Structures are given as structure tokens and as C-alpha cells.
Amino acid sequence: MNLTIHGSGYVGLVTGACMADAGNHVICVDIDADKIARLQAGDIPIHEPGLEDLVRRNAAAGRLTFTTDIDRGVREGLFQFIAVGTPPDEDGSADLQYVLAVARSIGEHMDDYKVVVDKSTVPVGTALRVRDVVAETLAAREAVIEFDVVSNPEFLKEGAAIGDFLKPDRIIVGTDSERAAQHIKALYKPFSRNHDKLILMDIPSAELTKYAANAMLATKISFMNELSNIADLYGADIEQVRVGIGSDPRIGYEFIYPGIGYGGSCFPKDVTALAHSAGLAGYDAELVRAVERVNTRQKTILGRKIIAHFGGDLAGKTIALWGLAFKPRTDDMREAPSRVLMEQVWAAGGQVRAFDPEAMDETHRIFGDREGLTLCESAVAALQGANALAVVTEWQEFRSPDFASLRQNLAEPTVFDGRNIYDPETMAEQGFTYYSIGRAARGRPS
């Protein structure tokens, strides 16, 4: 089949590469000429395991091309995937200007039937707005051309997006057209050979499903973090609590790990947008709003523990950070807890030495050569001369360090574990003063 993906960011690039890998002919269109030039040269602008190989292999096979020529993209693709960004506006709503601009371009250039697919994460009602914009643009041309608009939200986890697309848990499609439904079924058939994973529903339900899924996962995280703070107050161990409640199959073990809050491009934006959408309909989504408030507060927990440990003043102190990306297996630092922690350290007069396996370039792009920040070439280098270590992102390589070397390289054997990846008793036996989330602080043996 012939597909056009409008937008070559994270979702667009993964979608295009995976669709091409199934044998389809895919054109990725973007207005950013520099990005298109990089992609044509085989330079992938984002870090996602497996994506670079997938893009290069399918580009070499002629199934995946990149262009700024939107006229070509619209003319050649039966499916017109809209996969552009929907950044949060000042009021928390999703900014749909890029989505509607693509819809307008499709209406300007189409000359036969198209299936317009909303892949971007958008609020309920967006498909109707896209349909209206395409129809109005066609009317301005005095063109009578049939088209359908469907909602097909993505459920891609950063760091595991290729597997999520190629072997999906579910494929959600919202449509009110049997013609479009048949096209979509044929398109996604290679991705549901084991059993039918396609779930057809009405368009508003599909749009809400995406927000509902992310808000539910974010709620589990914030609820667990709320419990961790209560555990801190009563001397309970939140990790034991986690095992206790996770053993209930109605709850399960997924997404109940305490920590220092969620980040990234999806959860913060989508939770806020869902609450805003509810407000537009006259409903106060109190629980949804509370999820984001708890998360915002949780991002400050580790910084407050560090500042309290050093008596409220970090002047002359250096904190080593292990992890900068908002989660492992990505270089994404949008809404990352590390950014909040670094600002806290600097505000208290301290210095930061930081390392992340993938996010060093992104950190430099954001902060430049900021005074008080030293970006290090390795985890060990970040420890040199530091008064304490803060574990911010649970990268696999941080889970089993050489504790003797760790203690030797730190000026003071103090560790602040924002992801609870170390055992408190082991840390005490190794001679560390150890702070974690929802577990009593452990001092060095006397």
C-alpha cells in the first residue's frame, strides 16, 4: 500500500519505518528541510533502539523516502497519516495548529479518495475538526472528492517503540466509515497475524482511549509515589508494600514502582490536556488534576532530601548525577526529573557533575556551557570529587556498580537513590549513608 506520513518526529518516523518494513511504500513529509536532509543521508535525529537500522534498510530497499514536497506526498498516498506535534498551550490544552495545517494541505493537494489518519495524540473532537478543515479547503477549490477521517492513536513506549509497533497489544481505530475500516483492516493485517488485535470503535471513543490509557498509567505512578511519602513518615518500606499490593491480580506489578516522578513527551502533556478537555465540557476532573500535582511535587523529593542532608546549603558541594533522560533507553529529557533536581542544586549553591549513557548531547543542547554543570564521559568520572551521588534514571549499567570504587571516588560516601535500585542493608554494610524513596534513611555503621 502507499502511505504518507506527515511529520518525521518520533511517532512519524517509527510509524513510517515499521510500515515500510511490512512491505508498504511510505513517504515521510516534513516542512523541516534540515531534518529531511539528515534523514535522506541516513542520520537519525532521535535515539530509539533498532530505529536506525530499520530506517536505513527500508530506505535502501526503496520502500521509505523522505521529502519536503507535500504535493507529492498527498498525491501518492492513499493513507494520509497526521503525526505532527501537539505541544501544550499555556492553558494546558493541546495545540492543534500543526494538525489542522496538515489537514488544510491535504485538502489543497488531494485529487482522489484519501483515508486521513489522526496518529497524533489529540483531544476528543479533533477528527471532526480535521474533517471540517479538509472539506472547507476542498469547497474553496470547488472540488468534489471523497475522503474519510479516522482516529488511530499510537501506543509506543520510548525505548521499546519498534517492538510495540511490530507486535502491538492492540490497534485502536475510530471510524464511522465502512470503506475506511476495510482499508485500515488490510493495512494492519500484517501486524495482527497471531490474533486479531484491531479494535474498531467510534471516533470520540478512540480519541479518548489514548488519553485514558496515559492518564491511568500516570495515576498508578503518582498513587505509588504518594504512598511512598506516607511510608517515609511512618518508617514503612514502600518496596515491601509494592510487593504486597502487586500480588493482587486486580492491581498487578506494572507501573507501581516508587520514584521521583514521570516525565517525557506524553504523560505530563496528556494528563494536563485531559483535565483541560474535561473542563471545556464543564467537568472538573479532580483526580486527573491531582495526578499531575503529585507528580510535580514528587520531582522535588530527591532535591529536598539532598539539601536537608547538607543542612540547607549546598555552597561548596558537588552532586554527581547518574541519569539525565526521563527514562532508560532514550535521550529524551522533556519534563525529566533530572532537570528539576539540577535546578534545585544550583539554587542551593551547589555544583553538578552528570552522566547519562544517551542524553549527553541533549543535555548540552538544553543547558549549553552552563556554569555549575560538568558533563562527564562516564559514570565513574561523574563521581570525581563529588560530595554525594544522586541516581536519577534507572539505566541498567547503574544497577550493580563496584561499591568499593564508588565509595573511594566520592568525597563523602553518600547516595541518594531516586529509583530504589539498591538494597538499603547492602548500602549500609558497604559504608554508605543511603537515602531512597519511601524507605527509612540508612546511616553508615558506627
Side-chain angles (χ1 to χ4, degrees), residues 219 271 283-293:
T219 299
V271 169
Y283 182 74
D284 180 12
E286 293 181 72
L287 177 58
V288 177
R289 289 190 296 104
V291 166
E292 185 59 22
R293 285 201 308 271

Side-chain angles (χ1 to χ4, degrees), residues 302-314 344-345 347-348 416:
L302 207 60
R304 286 191 275 130
K305 287 176 182 282
I306 292 170
I307 293 168
H309 172 82
F310 289 106
D313 184 8
L314 297 183
Q344 288 177 283
V345 171
F416 296 86

